[in-house]
Amino acid sequence: MTDKPVVIGVAGGTGSGKTSVTRSIIQRFADKTILMLEQDYYYKDQSELPFEERLQTNYDHPLAFDNDLLIDHLNNLINEKSVEKPVYDYKMHTRSNETVRVEPKEVIIVEGILVLEDERLRDLMDIKVFVDTDADVRIIRRMMRDINERGRSLDSVIEQYINVVRPMHLQFVEPTKRYADIIIPEGGQNHVAIDLMATKIQTVLREKGQSVSK
């Protein structure tokens, strides 16, 4: 690559539809090479802690994330260097020994509930997006994900949402909306907002000197 990649931050509450928005971006820019850097992969390693203590981890708090590593990896990718993305084991509540090799691409999407919370991350982004979805829709999506993909029980998901997820969303996630360049209500279903976002991405690509197909 002869031009710096375009970095897009996609934030929003748990279950808001961030992944749907990301897929919509990928579909609209099929002529570009795109990678997604998920903040969920960058939870801090907790292997030194007893398992029972790991169970108390507040995954919706900014301090749960290893943003130093995420920022280091993002800087490397921007400078056309590959990285070894960590893998998180949600059943063991710590980082896995496995990693995923990630190569630099023309467009980098940084996705996660709190990617707009850290000023250092925001400063690396060309476009900042907040996906805004009603709380009742988000909790249903979270239940389905945590039960089907992360081996959680229904009771534990509900208890965590009431005691942790909701208050953390109000305290940390919702306030980051003010940093967004684009707010997309209802996620990937809002085709008008996504089309506007695609236009913005095309503008940034042109400014960086990359050719954009019509």
Side-chain angles (χ1 to χ4, degrees):
M1 293 186 300
T2 58
D3 301 287
K4 294 295 184 182
V6 174
V7 180
I8 305 167
V10 180
T14 179
S16 60
K18 297 182 295 296
T19 301
S20 296
V21 169
T22 299
R23 288 173 181 164
S24 294
I25 296 172
I26 294 171
Q27 290 171 358
R28 283 166 170 76
F29 292 91
D31 61 320
K32 299 293 177 184
T33 59
I34 300 177
L35 70 87
M36 182 164 68
L37 212 55
E38 306 94 330
Q39 191 180 29
D40 280 1
Y41 279 63
Y42 288 85
Y43 282 119
K44 291 179 179 177
D45 181 67
Q46 302 191 114
S47 55
E48 78 285 356
L49 299 177
F51 183 75
E52 291 302 319
E53 192 170 337
R54 296 181 213 166
L55 294 175
Q56 306 305 314
T57 301
N58 181 351
Y59 287 111
D60 294 85
H61 194 284
L63 294 178
F65 297 98
D66 188 351
N67 279 347
D68 290 341
L69 181 61
L70 175 56
I71 291 164
D72 180 63
H73 281 187
L74 183 54
N75 273 314
N76 281 330
L77 291 166
I78 290 172
N79 289 290
E80 302 182 28
K81 299 176 183 177
S82 62
V83 301
E84 293 292 332
K85 182 172 70 173
V87 175
Y88 200 81
D89 186 335
Y90 288 97
K91 292 184 179 179
M92 295 305 297
H93 296 273
T94 191
R95 193 173 290 171
S96 168
N97 291 326
E98 299 177 3
T99 60
V100 177
R101 189 169 184 82
V102 178
E103 302 291 343
K105 304 294 183 183
E106 294 172 285
V107 179
I108 302 172
I109 300 172
V110 186
E111 182 267 337
I113 61 172
L114 287 167
V115 295
L116 298 184
E117 191 271 338
D118 193 315
E119 183 178 5
R120 298 171 300 164
L121 272 173
R122 295 198 304 271
D123 288 344
L124 295 173
M125 298 171 183
D126 298 291
I127 303 170
K128 298 178 286 292
V129 179
F130 189 95
V131 184
D132 196 16
T133 303
D134 289 343
D136 56 347
V137 176
R138 290 190 290 104
I139 178 56
I140 292 171
R141 289 174 178 169
R142 177 150 182 153
M143 283 180 182
M144 294 174 64
R145 183 200 67 187
D146 284 1
I147 293 171
N148 296 329
E149 299 177 16
R150 300 183 179 178
R152 302 279 304 283
S153 68
L154 177 60
D155 288 344
S156 70
V157 175
I158 292 174
E159 181 181 3
Q160 184 185 44
Y161 182 82
I162 293 172
N163 296 325
V164 179
V165 177
R166 185 177 183 277
M168 292 299 99
H169 177 86
L170 295 175
Q171 183 175 355
F172 295 111
V173 181
E174 186 72 18
T176 66
K177 189 190 299 184
R178 68 179 181 271
Y179 300 119
D181 302 306
I182 301 170
I183 296 174
I184 301 181
E186 305 307 324
Q189 302 303 313
N190 193 328
H191 301 294
V192 173
I194 292 173
D195 286 342
L196 290 171
M197 180 180 63
T199 300
K200 174 62 178 177
I201 295 171
Q202 288 176 331
T203 300
V204 174
L205 284 168
R206 290 192 186 97
E207 290 172 350
K208 287 178 174 285
Q210 298 186 21
S211 61
V212 181
S213 62
K214 296 182 179 180

